[in-house]
Structures are given as structure tokens and as C-alpha cells.
Amino acid sequence: MKDALIDLRAWRQFVAVAEELHFGRAALRLHMTQPPVTQAIAQLEKALGVVLFDRTRRRVALTPAGEALLPDVRELLARAQALPARARAAAAGQVGRVRIAFVSTVGFEQLPAWVREFRVRCPEVALELVEATGDVQLEAFARGEIDAGLMLHSPGAAPPGLARLPVEEEALVLALPSQHRLARARPVPLAEALAEPLVIFPRRIVPSLHDAVFDLYHAAGRTPQVAQEAIQMQTIVNLVSGGIGVAWVPHSVMQFRRAGVVYRQADEFKGTGRRRVALPACETSLVWPAQAAHPALARFVEFVRERTGRARAG
């Protein structure tokens, strides 16, 4: 018997003899006659190249090699017995791994709560999280490094070619230095806000939202004065606190408390004629390659669908 041919039946026979320390009783336990059990143990010892049992006319005892092997064989048989149930659980999405990339704005409140609840509901599905901007997420999808992503974009403008579940839509608000003259205004006059130097993320990070912010300026007859670009929302807010400029940020960023920064709503009118100008909003979506969805990912998607549906209903 070669190592590769040692099957579970041989290991079960070994455990039966090791626990009974009697070939006859082990055979009864296995619903066999004694000679085949004796022969099977002899073949197993030959295949392993070690003696597992000391045999005399009066007693059977485990050798040191047999004693060392017994716990591992018990574990092997327990794992083998659990395999059918685990396979069914994996097919149902109750076991597995989901690699999720997320933008920083989701990490303020939503994602931590989702992770806690999902881990209670599906403790054998591992959620692997990595913070990444939208452009980095698309590259990771192309390399097969993530299963899903939580992306920020202009409403309805999620990247094409991906399945999508809208998670939240929120207004953009102004982040201003706390000592700025406009910090006391509620709401901030739009015409004055648009005249201030701007801190904004590079267009490659979120093209649709970058364009929506620029469209606001153009609709009001202004050209943005970009003072500084930064990738992360926290960095943008930090730059605002340093007086570099003002920034348009998602409403959820207001949870990021930074000394020297205040968040304000802007009005929707421009100029002396009080012409209404629509303020931009942003949307967060859960996205994933539809053709690459696996059961654990499908379960997470349904969880998020349920969670966001519950939030809207509330």
C-alpha cells in the first residue's frame, strides 16, 4: 500500500483498534470479521514503515508511533466527516471569503456597523477589507484582487461593466476653515463660496464627481481656482483646516471632526438675479463583477441590500 492509497477506511480501522486495544472488539465495532482488520493494520504498518501496535497473545498496545499518530488521525476523520456539511455551507454562501475595497467616506459609520453585524450572522465568512479610491479599485478588479468595492461617484454614474447596488445618496457640503469669514454664514452664499480657492481630489479618483463639482462652478459662470489636490477626504479636510481653501465634501464627512474646520450648507442661488443652481450630490454604490460572483459574495450583497433597504424604510 503506497502512502497515496491510504484511505479513510484504513484510518478508521486504526482508530478502532487503538481505542479498543483488541482486534476482535474492533472488528465487531466495524461490523467486520477479525482477519480483514488484522490484515488491514498490517498493510497500514507496511505502508507507513512503522509498527503501530505491540501484539502478544494476552494484550494489544499502541507503540510510541501509534500513540503519536492517534490524535492526528482522529482529527483527520472528524474533518472528513464535516466535509459534506461544509460543502453545503459553502454552496449556500455561509463559508468563504469576501475581499472588499472601500472608500474612506463609507468607513466613518456604515462599514464598521455592517462588518460587525455580518460577522455575527455569517461567522465563517471572512471579510477582508482594504481602503482604496475608485481608480485603485478598478485596477484591483482587473487583476482579480478584490471581489467587491464600495465606490463614491456622482448619482447614477457608477463605473460601467460592474453589477451595482446603490447604498446611499448624500449632498455635498462645504468644509471651511473655522476662522473664515464665511464660517458664520448659515447657509453660505453660493456666489461667495465659489470665489474661494478650492481643495479637491484629482479627477482620476472620482471622474463623475469631480466633473459635477466643476459643472457647478461653470453653471454659475465661474472657473474653479484649484489651490490644492488631495486623494483622501481626511487629507482634504486637514488642508482646509490649514487655510489652503474650501472643499466640497460628502455629508458623511461631517463625522470627521477636525479642529479648525466647520461644515456648512450652501444656498442654491447665484448672483443678484437669484438664479437657482443645482448643488451636486454624491452616491455610494456596492459594485462587483457579476460574472465573478460566488456564494459568499452573493450573501454579502444580499446582506447589504437588506441593510440599506431597512435604513431607507426607517
Side-chain angles (χ1 to χ4, degrees), residues 63-180:
T63 65
E67 288 181 354
L69 195 60
L70 182 58
D72 292 335
V73 177
R74 283 174 172 154
E75 182 180 354
L76 169 68
L77 294 176
R79 286 179 175 273
Q81 187 174 5
L83 284 177
R86 192 165 184 83
R88 290 190 291 270
Q94 297 171 336
V95 173
R97 177 184 68 157
V98 183
R99 301 164 299 171
I100 305 168
F102 65 95
V103 291
S104 60
T105 51
V106 186
F108 289 123
E109 181 179 11
Q110 290 170 309
L111 190 59
W114 290 349
V115 169
R116 285 194 304 271
E117 186 175 337
F118 187 78
R119 283 178 174 166
V120 170
R121 184 177 300 187
C122 300
E124 292 196 74
V125 176
L127 296 182
E128 297 182 1
L129 306 177
V130 57
E131 185 176 354
T133 54
D135 58 328
V136 174
Q137 290 189 35
L138 292 176
E139 293 171 358
F141 276 128
R143 294 192 297 266
E145 295 175 351
I146 59 174
D147 301 304
L150 285 155
M151 285 189 180
L152 192 67
H153 53 85
S154 187
L162 295 168
R164 168 176 169 257
L165 173 63
V167 170
E168 183 180 33
E169 185 172 332
E170 53 186 325
L172 295 186
V173 298
L174 274 169
L176 302 123
S178 57
Q179 300 304 314
H180 195 282

Side-chain angles (χ1 to χ4, degrees), residues 9-10 12-14 16-17 23-41 43:
R9 181 172 57 182
R12 290 191 184 98
Q13 292 164 341
F14 164 72
V17 176
F23 280 88
R25 289 194 299 268
L28 288 174
R29 173 170 155 182
L30 295 167
H31 306 289
M32 299 172 65
T33 59
Q34 182 173 333
V37 176
T38 303
Q39 183 180 8
I41 295 301
Q43 290 176 335

Side-chain angles (χ1 to χ4, degrees), residues 206-227:
V206 192
S208 61
L209 193 56
H210 186 281
D211 291 348
V213 172
F214 271 49
D215 287 346
L216 169 66
Y217 284 75
H218 297 154
R222 301 200 65 95
T223 299
Q225 303 175 38
V226 177

